[in-house]
């Protein structure tokens, strides 16, 4: 390793040295098996948070033994006023393979417009597309985007 490479390694200690993820909505967009969940797991290890919340459809992507400290919800469990009010400040919330159920659209907008900023939450949302999931207005107003790609399915 030359001196320039050594200096570059010390400049970037975490992903937050590159982009501000904390207290923000971050969309990870990509196809099936493109690395969205893996990207979230890598990011999750980069900083300290008070609690980790996983909003998932099933446990196939997330080893619940490895994430035993995580509080795990389905979308229907999470988008209740009493649940949102219990979220700890400075928490990390990961929505994996997320599509807003029309039943919870109002609660989702309430969550993104109020709870994230007031509770200093960091949110990672893994989605397959930005157009067919009722998230377009949220995406336009407050987001970072990360695109993942894999040619594994070709």
């Amino acid at each position: 390793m030359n001196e320039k490479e050594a200096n570059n390694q010390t400049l970037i200690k975490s992903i937050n040295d590159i982009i501000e993820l904390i207290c923000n909505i971050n969309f990870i967009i990509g196809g099936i098996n493109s690395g969205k969940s893996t990207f979230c797991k890598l990011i999750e290890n980069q900083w300290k948070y008070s609690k980790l919340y996983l909003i998932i459809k099933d446990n196939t992507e997330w080893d619940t033994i490895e994430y035993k400290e995580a509080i795990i919800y389905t979308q229907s469990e999470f988008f209740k006023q009493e649940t949102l009010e219990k979220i700890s400040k400075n928490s990390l919330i990961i929505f994996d393979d997320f599509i807003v159920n029309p039943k919870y659209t109002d609660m989702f907008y309430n969550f993104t417009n109020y709870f994230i900023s007031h509770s200093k939450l960091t949110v990672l949302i893994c989605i397959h597309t930005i157009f067919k999931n009722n998230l377009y207005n949220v995406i336009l107003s407050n987001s970072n985007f990360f695109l993942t790609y894999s040619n594994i399915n070709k």
Side-chain angles (χ1 to χ4, degrees):
M1 177 182 326
N2 66 33
E3 185 179 337
K4 183 177 179 182
E5 289 172 335
N7 287 338
N8 286 341
Q9 285 187 340
T10 60
L11 291 176
I12 299 174
K13 294 179 181 162
S14 78
I15 196 160
N16 280 314
D17 291 341
I18 302 169
I19 189 166
E20 183 63 39
L21 297 174
I22 297 172
C23 299
N24 208 342
I25 300 173
N26 305 282
F27 283 91
I28 297 89
I29 305 165
I32 296 169
N33 293 322
S34 64
K36 296 179 303 296
S37 298
T38 301
F39 186 72
C40 284
K41 291 173 187 177
L42 293 170
I43 289 174
E44 180 265 333
N45 288 317
Q46 291 289 318
W47 68 80
K48 294 181 181 177
Y49 44 83
S50 62
K51 290 194 179 176
L52 171 63
Y53 295 85
L54 296 175
I55 293 71
I56 56 178
K57 291 193 287 190
D58 58 56
N59 292 339
T60 57
E61 296 272 341
W62 295 87
D63 180 355
T64 53
I65 294 169
E66 184 180 349
Y67 293 94
K68 65 181 178 226
E69 301 294 321
I71 300 166
I72 300 173
Y73 290 107
T74 63
Q75 190 177 141
S76 61
E77 296 167 334
F78 185 76
F79 287 119
K80 294 179 179 174
Q81 188 69 29
E82 60 271 14
T83 302
L84 294 177
E85 290 173 356
K86 290 183 206 174
I87 295 173
S88 299
K89 288 185 184 249
N90 301 307
S91 290
L92 172 62
I93 301 173
I94 299 175
F95 292 86
D96 198 19
D97 288 335
F98 187 64
I99 298 173
V100 176
N101 182 322
K103 265 194 324 194
Y104 308 115
T105 302
D106 289 343
M107 286 301 290
F108 180 75
Y109 285 118
N110 185 25
F111 171 71
T112 58
N113 292 326
Y114 176 77
F115 283 96
I116 290 173
S117 61
H118 287 85
S119 297
K120 298 183 178 164
L121 303 175
T122 301
V123 179
L124 303 175
I125 300 177
C126 297
I127 58 175
H128 293 279
T129 178
I130 60 173
F131 299 110
K132 298 179 182 177
N133 54 21
N134 298 324
L135 295 172
Y136 192 73
N137 289 331
V138 173
I139 290 170
L140 288 178
S141 60
N142 19 222
S143 305
N144 290 320
F145 296 96
F146 302 94
L147 303 176
T148 59
Y149 174 77
S150 172
N151 62 1
I152 197 167
N153 294 326
K154 290 186 178 185

